[in-house]
Amino acid sequence: MPRVSITIPEKNPQPYRFKLDRNKVTIGRSADNDIVIDDPSVSSAHCTMERIDGGYILRDRNSTNGISLHDDQMEVIDLRNGDDVKVGDVQFEYSLADEELDTLDEEDFKPNEKQKKAKDDPAAPKKITRNSAAQSPSFPPQQMLASSEAGGGMISFATFVLGIFALIAGLNNGYVKKQEKLERTGDITLHGDVLNGRPALEEKKVEDE
C-alpha cells in the first residue's frame, strides 16, 4: 500500500497507509480530513492527494501556506517514489512498494505538475479591490447608461436641426434660380421676400391671338 509519512517539527513521524485504488485523500488541520496534521502552518482543508493514471498528485486547496517541492511553491505536485515535499511547514514523504511501482509502470502517466504563480506575476489574475475600483476612471453602469441616452438624444436633435436647414436651403436655392431666370436682379432670398412682403416675379402668360 502507498505510504505517506508526516513529520511535524519536533515530533515523531506519523505514517499513513492506504490502498492503491483510493481515489482521493484529504489532508489538513481539521478533524474531518483523512490525514489530520496538527500544525499551525497547515490550513483546515490544505490539500488533496489524488489518484491518476500512473500514480498520485498532491493538489493545493487555496491554503494559506501552500505546498512546496524543493522550496518552490506549487499548485500541483506529481508525487514520485521517495519524494519529500512540504505541506505548510510540515514534511510530507511519499513512498511506494516494489509491487506498487510495477503496477503503476503499466499505466500511462501524464505530468500534471504546476508551479504556483507569484502575486506580482503579470500573468496572474488580478483581484479587484475597493481601492482599485475607486481609482478606476470608468463610470458606474447607471451613469454610463444615462450618458449614452443623453448623447443619443443630442445627436438626434442635431440631425433634425440639420435636416431643417438643408430643406430651407434647398427651397431658397430653387426660388433664387427661378427668379433669376425671370431676369430679376438684386439680392434675392426666399426668406427676405417673405419678411418684406415682396411678391415673387411670375411668368407672363401668353394670350391666344
Side-chain angles (χ1 to χ4, degrees):
M1 292 184 288
R3 180 177 184 272
V4 172
S5 180
I6 303 294
T7 306
I8 299 174
E10 301 179 1
K11 293 185 180 181
N12 293 326
Q14 302 174 32
Y16 298 87
R17 289 186 179 276
F18 43 88
K19 293 182 179 180
L20 196 60
D21 60 358
R22 181 76 177 269
N23 288 327
K24 183 180 286 189
V25 177
T26 60
I27 302 168
R29 198 172 71 252
S30 176
D32 59 356
N33 288 287
D34 298 311
I35 298 178
V36 179
I37 304 178
D38 186 16
D39 187 89
S41 69
V42 177
S43 298
S44 298
H46 198 103
C47 58
T48 54
M49 188 174 168
E50 302 172 13
R51 177 75 159 93
I52 61 169
D53 287 341
Y56 281 89
I57 61 172
L58 194 66
R59 186 189 301 275
D60 184 47
R61 297 173 66 185
N62 294 319
S63 62
T64 302
N65 296 307
I67 58 177
S68 56
L69 176 66
H70 308 306
D71 296 326
D72 291 329
Q73 286 281 315
M74 307 289 287
E75 288 186 21
V76 179
I77 297 174
D78 292 330
L79 292 173
R80 301 170 181 83
N81 187 38
D83 261 355
D84 203 358
V85 302
K86 278 190 174 182
V87 175
D89 295 333
V90 174
Q91 210 74 21
F92 177 102
E93 185 179 339
Y94 169 80
S95 59
L96 297 165
D98 290 340
E99 60 271 18
E100 293 164 349
L101 288 171
D102 292 339
T103 300
L104 295 176
D105 283 343
E106 296 174 0
E107 299 176 1
D108 185 21
F109 174 76
K110 294 181 180 179
N112 292 266
E113 207 154 79
K114 187 177 181 182
Q115 192 165 2
K116 191 172 183 179
K117 292 180 180 178
K119 291 183 179 179
D120 57 352
D121 186 344
K126 293 179 173 55
K127 291 184 178 180
I128 299 175
T129 62
R130 289 185 179 181
N131 290 337
S132 64
Q135 294 170 1
S136 174
S138 59
F139 296 101
Q142 296 88 347
Q143 187 173 347
M144 289 178 64
L145 180 60
S147 299
S148 299
E149 291 174 352
M154 290 296 293
I155 292 173
S156 299
F157 178 75
T159 303
F160 173 77
V161 171
L162 289 174
I164 294 296
F165 279 127
L167 177 62
I168 293 173
L171 290 173
N172 182 71
N173 190 43
Y175 178 81
V176 171
K177 287 184 177 180
K178 184 176 181 181
Q179 293 297 299
E180 289 176 345
K181 188 176 179 181
L182 295 173
E183 299 181 352
R184 180 178 169 185
T185 60
D187 187 17
I188 307 169
T189 61
L190 176 61
H191 178 68
D193 284 358
V194 170
L195 288 180
N196 297 321
R198 287 196 297 266
L201 293 180
E202 298 291 340
E203 293 181 5
K204 295 179 179 180
K205 295 181 180 181
V206 179
E207 297 179 356
D208 295 335
E209 293 180 357

